[in-house]
Amino acid sequence: MSRLVEPASALHASAETCSCWMWSDPHVERCDGTYARFDGSLDQSPIFTFASWPKGFVQSYHCPISKCPRQETPKREVSGLVALAASFSDGAGAAHSFAVAGSKVWVDGMALELTDQSPRLAFGECMLSRNQLNHPDSRHTGRFNTSFRCDNGVGGALPVELVTSSWPEPYMATGYLTTANLQFGGYAAELHGGDADGLCMTEGSNAGGDAYGTTCATATVKALWPDALLQMLEAKCNRTLPACPPPPSPAPLSPPPPLAPMTTTLPPATWTQTAAPATATVTLPPTTTKAPETTTLPPTTETT
């Protein structure tokens, strides 16, 4: 939930602070003060990684310029910065999302329409403010800018702030162009540790801005960009970010190889001849056959 707050002090630049700019069609001044080569070719994607580090992520949205002021047909397709979306972590470790396109702003998914008299609003340890520009320069033009600032370190010592401003531009399909200035503390440690990336960073920037293009609606894009904002930009810029292809299905499991036949090698048979046991011969005396006994009875005498 947002709340009204008093004005806070501005983010102070130091050797540990990254200050990265993107403006117009577009120009990029990196954290180390050098300029990055960025053509913003739109044959791949309208969305590019502006900056990423462990506690923040910023993407930029680019529209083709419909007509160059100095010529009817541009020699090459030129893009202009028209919107940004970011996610910052505050000192309490809570993540907050911020998206801006012209005067339209989304904070933590809540749509807001800012005016020159909009008050400061706090979202957790982050602050949204609309500030008057007393001394516009070639990068920040217009009369007001929009700032989203979060305490982003131990004790809030390392804040992060994204400041944007827009001005009317008839050669853009959106009717405006945008300038963005990103500042965050602890830049040197993040860069040297290999944890920082994007158009704002020095390392890897030799590949050019196209190396950071987003070719499909990744999970990061869906998390950063509100659907209503993407639909509005796609309609005005005639750019559609395709859905990402589903991850490849795992390869089917191959059947196990057939088992080799089991082979048992028996030791050669050994034959041992065993002598038969000795047999004893016993000679018995001849047997005597006894004659059968015969009994003769006397004749019987019959008496009359």
Side-chain angles (χ1 to χ4, degrees):
M1 180 177 293
S2 64
R3 66 180 190 275
L4 298 178
V5 296
E6 294 299 322
S9 59
L11 181 65
H12 296 288
S14 69
E16 282 289 307
T17 299
C18 165
S19 180
C20 178
W21 290 84
M22 180 182 282
W23 71 98
S24 192
D25 58 351
H27 305 279
V28 179
E29 183 181 321
R30 297 181 294 209
C31 294
D32 62 355
T34 61
Y35 286 87
R37 173 184 174 271
F38 180 66
D39 292 333
S41 95
L42 298 173
D43 56 347
Q44 296 180 359
S45 168
I47 293 179
F48 289 80
T49 300
F50 189 46
S52 67
W53 69 104
K55 293 186 177 181
F57 200 99
V58 185
Q59 289 186 329
S60 55
Y61 195 103
H62 303 260
C63 271
I65 296 178
S66 57
K67 185 187 299 183
C68 286
R70 298 182 182 89
Q71 55 193 23
E72 289 295 322
T73 304
K75 295 180 179 179
R76 60 181 176 85
E77 189 176 39
V78 182
S79 67
L81 175 65
V82 295
L84 295 107
S87 177
F88 300 146
S89 295
D90 63 19
H96 297 274
S97 63
F98 170 69
V100 57
S103 62
K104 294 180 171 59
V105 171
W106 287 258
V107 179
D108 293 341
M110 180 188 304
L112 301 169
E113 185 77 26
L114 298 181
T115 67
D116 296 346
Q117 288 78 35
S118 292
R120 295 172 180 264
L121 299 174
F123 298 83
E125 295 188 15
C126 297
M127 181 189 305
L128 174 69
S129 61
R130 182 83 164 158
N131 309 299
Q132 185 172 358
L133 286 172
N134 295 321
H135 303 286
D137 59 21
S138 60
R139 294 176 293 192
H140 270 314
T141 59
R143 296 174 52 245
F144 289 84
N145 66 28
T146 300
S147 166
F148 189 69
R149 180 181 186 274
C150 296
D151 289 334
N152 191 28
V154 178
L158 301 176
V160 56
E161 183 176 23
L162 179 62
V163 182
T164 66
S165 62
S166 299
W167 68 95
E169 178 51 73
Y171 297 101
M172 294 298 299
T174 55
Y176 66 86
L177 274 171
T178 296
T179 290
N181 176 226
L182 171 69
Q183 297 185 48
F184 65 90
Y187 155 68
E190 305 288 11
L191 180 64
H192 296 154
D195 295 325
D197 202 359
L199 295 170
C200 288
M201 309 308 163
T202 302
E203 293 184 358
S205 60
N206 293 332
D210 295 351
Y212 302 105
T214 301
T215 57
C216 64
T218 63
T220 300
V221 169
K222 293 179 180 179
L224 290 181
W225 296 88
D227 291 340
L229 175 55
L230 275 183
Q231 292 170 6
M232 179 190 73
L233 293 172
E234 289 176 353
K236 288 183 176 295
C237 302
N238 195 26
R239 302 294 302 170
T240 300
L241 195 64
C244 293
S249 302
L253 297 177
S254 301
L259 296 176
M262 297 181 63
T263 303
T264 304
T265 304
L266 297 175
T270 303
W271 297 96
T272 304
Q273 187 173 1
T274 305
T279 303
T281 303
V282 180
T283 303
L284 296 177
T287 58
T288 303
T289 303
K290 185 177 182 180
E293 295 184 357
T294 304
T295 303
T296 304
L297 296 177
T300 57
T301 302
E302 182 179 357
T303 303
T304 312

